[in-house]
Amino acid sequence: MAEGLGNRAIAQRLTLPERTVENRVSQIMRKLDRPLRVAVAAWVRER
């Protein structure tokens, strides 16, 4: 996500099902209270 990759690209890179990536991305966004992917990417880059 921090690199701006979509779910499909992340799934291919990690050799995971796309649905798994979708679920994990949603969980991460909820836990960080960031409703947008770009907000999560910005959060990661700040750290």
Side-chain angles (χ1 to χ4, degrees), residues 1 5-29 37:
M1 284 176 56
L5 298 175
N7 291 344
R8 179 170 287 155
I10 294 169
Q12 290 173 342
R13 185 179 283 189
L14 299 176
T15 61
L16 293 170
E18 190 173 349
R19 186 72 179 136
T20 299
V21 173
E22 289 173 12
N23 289 334
R24 294 299 292 156
V25 166
S26 294
Q27 290 172 349
I28 291 167
M29 290 169 61
R37 293 175 73 98

